[in-house]
Amino acid sequence: MDALELCYLSAGELSRLIRDKEVSPVEVIDAHLARIEATEPTLNSFITLLPEPARAVARRAEAQIQAGNYRGPLHGIPVGLKDLFNTAGVRTTSGSRVFDNFIPKEDCTVAARFQQAGAILLGKLNMHQFAYGPTGENFDYGHMHNPWNPDLVTGGSSGGSGSAAAAGQCTITMGSDTGGSVRIPAALCGIVGLKPTYGLVSRAGLTPLSWCLDHPGPMVRTVEDAALTLNAIAGYDPKDVASAGREIPDYTAALTGSVQGLRIGLPREYFDAPLDAEVAAAVAAAVSQLEGLGATVTEVSLPMFRDSQAISGAILMAEAAAYHRELLARDGDKLTPSVRLRLEAGLFVTAADYLKAQQARSKFNQEMARLFQEVDLLAGPTEPVTAPPILASEVTIGDRTVGVTGALTQYTRPYNISGTPAISLPCGFSESGMPIGLQLAGKPFDEATVLRAAYAYEQATDWHRRRPPI
Amino acid sequence: MPGENPLTRENFDYLAGAAGLDLNDPHLDELFSYVQVALAGIEGLAEIDVAGAEPDLAFNPAQQFQAFQE
């Protein structure tokens, strides 16, 4: 098989070939390393690339599979981790030169679970510094570039994860999502990004941004791959105090292709917010398609949507400042100035404000819970616009000019507040050729329904089959 | 300090000092402007009726004991 084709196979497709010994993990890794070599000068997805360790693991995987010891669907699959997932013996920078030489002694739980599943780590992926920004700009390791147009942002903070998956540099990547950092780059780069329920995937060994808003999640090219990845990484972890002790189903069993009988709600407040007309049209078409497939679509109301920025902003600012306080005192002048300002601003959020935000979060979640008595899923745009230019501070949406950070997080933050699962998947392209994302959100720990609807939509469309012109 | 008096430079300097920031650092001028904008972004909190709502904070002593024992 052509090397480029190997790079664009999904984990599901690739795993069947590996299992049947039609393709070797060594071929797969070599193809991806060649793809990285060809595209990395444009994309800058990686902070640390691990070609020789990856080849060595691939040779071991090949020997294991030849000997009849196939471990399952991730065995031999190339994976990239955002550079805030600790990896034993491999530097983990969190996107800052201050941590250029930080080499963790232990793997984070997610990395360990990938390793147990036989996945092969290709490298550590570029990111917005400390995950504190939604664009994928990094002044220490270079900005990330969107594979669909390198002058535009990938979205962030998991920008390298977005570009690497979209451009066929990795089959599976992982991001972390505090205000949208998995779903934003997924939408802007035209891939699938799943933010699981808070507590489903362990945060142990990840650099925190906000303890109570951080969610690790997969960034892949198909919904099946999101399910396969979740099968490998979800589950109780005593090292994470928020880890949920729940039975983990086989998420691929939810991929039936049917949405018959599902009740989908469209919060009307989402459409009062700044929203580009092309994005609105693509999302409306996607929702109609789901309706045509058998779902029931109704308009619903989430009045506290308008409070979501204040609630998550206060929590995020206070927690990020608390976590990074010693760093600010020691090395503040070595941080990217905009990130330093954001972190220091959190020092001025009072304890009373923080607790008021947590009270408001309770109210917000009560409202969300009431809504989920009426519907099984909420649908809407992931992003109000397609990818803005790199270093843009404002974006014009219709007749309104708004800040990029607020715009890119307006539809994603609510599900960090609620901790409920939300997925972004491609649902169209703008006239300029940039991807548009549909966001589907479900009840706590009901990833199965989210994946079920996303898969049905994906199978009825071909947006996920398009490849960026790189 | 959403919903309260606007942050004055005097109050800012007091809080910056309490937070351990170097009050002689010229960077503080830029930070003062930034903090005013950032706090304006959370002013909406003041308008939210939270009567009867307990802060949504995760604390699970049983789980913490279990993690320690493992």
Side-chain angles (χ1 to χ4, degrees):
Chain A
M1 182 178 284
D2 174 60
L4 185 61
E5 291 308 309
L6 280 181
C7 295
Y8 274 110
L9 290 180
S10 68
E13 293 163 332
L14 205 46
S15 68
R16 291 183 271 277
L17 294 174
I18 291 173
R19 180 197 61 197
D20 297 342
K21 300 173 191 167
E22 291 177 36
V23 169
S24 130
V26 175
E27 270 180 272
V28 171
I29 293 303
D30 283 343
H32 282 81
L33 290 171
R35 178 70 177 154
I36 291 166
E37 194 177 347
T39 54
E40 191 59 3
T42 304
L43 298 178
N44 197 32
S45 305
F46 286 85
I47 288 177
T48 303
L49 191 58
L50 302 164
E52 289 319 312
R55 284 193 175 103
V57 177
R59 286 193 291 273
R60 281 204 298 277
E62 185 180 63
Q64 288 163 351
I65 293 164
Q66 288 297 331
N69 297 319
Y70 178 65
R71 288 199 217 169
L74 297 196
H75 202 172
I77 300 295
V79 167
L81 298 175
K82 183 179 185 177
D83 206 19
L84 55 63
F85 288 71
N86 281 352
T87 40
V90 177
R91 72 169 178 168
T92 299
T93 68
S94 300
S96 168
R97 287 277 181 205
V98 172
F99 294 101
D100 220 14
N101 298 311
F102 171 58
I103 300 178
K105 291 195 174 78
E106 281 184 25
D107 276 329
C108 66
T109 298
V110 166
R113 289 187 179 178
F114 272 121
Q115 200 171 36
Q116 283 158 14
I120 299 173
L121 182 63
L122 275 180
K124 303 297 292 295
L125 294 160
N126 203 349
M127 54 181 283
H128 213 108
Q129 192 169 80
F130 302 126
Y132 211 174
T135 54
E137 290 148 353
N138 186 307
F139 289 87
D140 282 8
Y141 296 101
H143 304 319
M144 292 138 268
H145 296 265
N146 195 305
W148 296 89
N149 179 344
D151 294 333
L152 306 183
V153 299
T154 53
S157 61
S158 315
S161 307
S163 56
Q169 294 182 322
C170 294
T171 311
I172 296 170
T173 64
M174 283 296 296
S176 60
D177 190 317
T178 306
S181 291
V182 161
R183 292 160 289 153
I184 296 166
L188 301 187
C189 292
I191 59 167
V192 174
L194 173 65
K195 182 194 79 66
T197 307
Y198 185 74
L200 185 65
V201 175
S202 173
R203 301 164 304 146
L206 273 67
T207 305
L209 178 60
S210 161
W211 295 286
C212 74
L213 297 171
D214 291 344
H215 301 63
M219 300 171 68
V220 288
R221 290 188 296 275
T222 69
V223 175
E224 183 193 20
D225 285 3
L228 286 170
T229 307
L230 207 52
N231 278 352
I233 62 173
Y236 177 68
D237 177 15
K239 293 178 183 169
D240 180 349
V241 292
S243 185
R246 298 178 71 93
E247 190 82 13
I248 303 301
D250 173 5
Y251 292 104
T252 63
L255 311 181
T256 61
S258 169
V259 288
Q260 199 68 43
L262 275 186
R263 301 167 302 165
I264 297 177
L266 281 179
R268 68 176 65 98
E269 291 80 5
Y270 287 6
F271 300 91
D272 296 334
L275 175 59
D276 176 78
E278 274 188 299
V279 175
V283 170
V287 171
S288 292
Q289 189 136 13
L290 283 163
E291 197 168 22
L293 292 169
T296 306
V297 178
T298 51
E299 189 180 274
V300 294
S301 180
L302 181 62
M304 286 190 75
F305 168 69
R306 68 176 70 91
D307 300 316
S308 57
Q309 183 162 349
I311 296 170
S312 70
I315 295 170
L316 172 58
M317 285 167 66
E319 294 197 3
Y323 178 75
H324 288 291
R325 190 170 182 163
E326 285 178 24
L327 174 74
L328 283 168
R330 190 180 67 237
D331 287 317
D333 58 343
K334 295 180 186 148
L335 308 186
T336 294
S338 58
V339 174
R340 180 188 183 185
L341 285 171
R342 271 177 221 153
L343 288 171
E344 287 175 337
L347 297 170
F348 296 85
V349 175
T350 66
D353 290 337
Y354 175 77
L355 289 167
K356 173 109 190 235
Q358 291 287 7
Q359 284 178 286
R361 183 185 203 179
S362 297
K363 287 276 187 182
F364 183 93
N365 290 344
Q366 286 165 15
E367 195 170 273
M368 191 74 94
R370 270 197 298 275
L371 211 48
F372 276 114
Q373 289 180 328
E374 299 169 32
V375 297
D376 302 303
L377 292 170
L378 293 176
T382 311
E383 290 305 314
V385 285
T386 56
I390 290 171
L391 297 179
S393 59
E394 293 183 327
V395 61
T396 300
I397 308 175
D399 57 0
R400 286 188 264 189
T401 298
V402 292
V404 164
T405 298
L408 293 183
T409 55
Q410 75 180 20
Y411 293 128
T412 50
R413 284 174 181 233
Y415 304 111
N416 295 85
I417 295 172
S418 63
T420 47
I423 198 167
S424 178
L425 73 162
C427 71
F429 285 80
S430 67
E431 271 187 25
S432 60
M434 296 308 293
I436 295 170
L438 168 71
Q439 183 169 229
L440 298 171
K443 300 172 189 172
F445 298 105
D446 193 13
E447 275 73 8
T449 300
V450 172
L451 290 164
R452 177 183 153 201
Y455 182 75
Y457 175 75
E458 178 190 74
Q459 294 306 300
T461 59
D462 66 356
W463 307 117
H464 64 294
R465 295 189 204 286
R466 297 201 185 183
R467 294 178 187 177
I470 180 169
Chain B
M1 284 151 287
E4 296 172 11
N5 296 326
L7 184 66
T8 62
R9 180 65 196 231
E10 190 182 5
N11 287 341
F12 170 84
D13 284 344
Y14 175 78
L15 290 169
L21 300 180
D22 177 4
L23 295 178
N24 296 316
D25 188 340
H27 160 75
L28 252 58
D29 293 337
E30 187 184 15
L31 181 60
F32 176 56
S33 302
Y34 186 85
V35 167
Q36 287 178 308
V37 174
L39 293 185
I42 61 171
E43 269 178 358
L45 279 179
E47 306 302 320
I48 303 174
D49 176 9
V50 294
E54 190 168 330
D56 199 350
L57 299 172
F59 174 58
N60 185 335
Q63 190 163 339
Q64 290 185 1
F65 267 66
Q66 188 179 342
F68 180 75
Q69 285 165 354
E70 289 181 20

